[in-house]
Amino acid sequence: DDMADELRSLINNVFSTGAKVIYYECLCQQKSTWMESHGLSAKLLKEYLQKYVTNCSFSKQFLTSGEKITEKDAVTAEIIRVWSSDQTIENVELLSSKLPYIPRDNISRVIKGNDLFVRASKRAYLFLEKFHISEKDVEKILDFVDSTYEKKGFVSLSDIPLGNITE
């Protein structure tokens, strides 16, 4: 009974930070002392969580608070939740440090395969919802592309006048 209460408390504490996804393996790593003291592996942890924790959905590798959700949707929501409000571009390592209950490789895989994010440089991504461009700049770029295409039949990306939007 004590272990069940402690396990519920552990999960509730993680969810109280705003997290909605917990990978069993990461929970074992983050709470290794407690897990070892109770002889829990990631596989055994999942079984106990399913038995003792309610209001969660369980998948093979992770649990989510509330309704069942796909891994891509769950991890995407978590990435967006921790994305700095003043940053257009974030580094995968920084995101990983803000999401200790999601493996870094999973963050990287989800962000690479997601049309909400565009690779800006090695292991750094631009969140498209944070990217803002004025109508005036859009018109200038479109006019340039149209006229250059009409003249040459192609437009080189490096020739496009990006002005203040180089990122």
Side-chain angles (χ1 to χ4, degrees):
D1 286 345
D2 288 343
M3 187 179 85
D5 289 339
E6 290 175 29
L7 202 50
R8 280 189 290 272
S9 176
L10 192 73
I11 296 302
N12 289 335
N13 286 340
V14 172
F15 286 150
S16 73
T17 67
K20 301 281 187 227
V21 179
I22 302 172
Y23 280 76
Y24 311 120
E25 180 182 316
C26 291
L27 183 60
C28 283
Q29 291 169 356
Q30 294 292 323
K31 307 295 182 186
S32 60
T33 304
W34 188 87
M35 297 296 169
E36 288 171 10
S37 71
H38 290 83
L40 293 176
S41 64
K43 184 178 179 181
L44 196 54
L45 172 64
K46 177 184 173 185
E47 290 178 25
Y48 278 108
L49 288 170
Q50 287 175 318
K51 185 176 181 179
Y52 296 121
V53 177
T54 59
N55 299 326
C56 291
S57 297
F58 300 90
S59 73
K60 185 175 182 180
Q61 296 180 329
F62 63 92
L63 73 121
T64 57
S65 174
E67 297 288 319
K68 192 164 184 88
I69 187 170
T70 66
E71 179 180 27
K72 181 182 178 183
D73 290 345
V75 175
T76 298
E78 286 295 275
I79 291 169
I80 292 169
R81 181 181 65 83
V82 301
W83 200 282
S84 296
S85 61
D86 60 340
Q87 293 294 317
T88 307
I89 295 175
E90 287 279 10
N91 183 293
V92 171
E93 281 73 24
L94 180 62
L95 291 170
S96 182
S97 71
K98 294 178 179 181
L99 297 168
Y101 297 100
I102 302 174
R104 182 174 35 149
D105 289 346
N106 294 48
I107 294 169
S108 185
R109 181 174 36 80
V110 167
I111 208 168
K112 283 177 187 175
N114 199 311
D115 59 3
L116 293 175
F117 307 99
V118 175
R119 185 174 183 260
S121 63
K122 187 175 183 178
R123 301 190 66 74
Y125 291 84
L126 173 122
F127 181 23
L128 288 176
E129 289 184 13
K130 300 255 183 192
F131 180 73
H132 301 286
I133 181 170
S134 72
E135 286 298 318
K136 182 180 174 183
D137 286 337
V138 169
E139 287 178 31
K140 279 176 59 177
I141 291 169
L142 291 175
D143 289 344
F144 175 83
V145 170
D146 285 342
S147 66
T148 304
Y149 182 78
E150 287 294 320
K151 291 176 190 170
K152 297 181 178 181
F154 70 93
V155 180
S156 174
L157 184 60
S158 61
D159 292 338
I160 296 174
L162 298 177
N164 294 330
I165 58 167
T166 55
E167 65 183 8

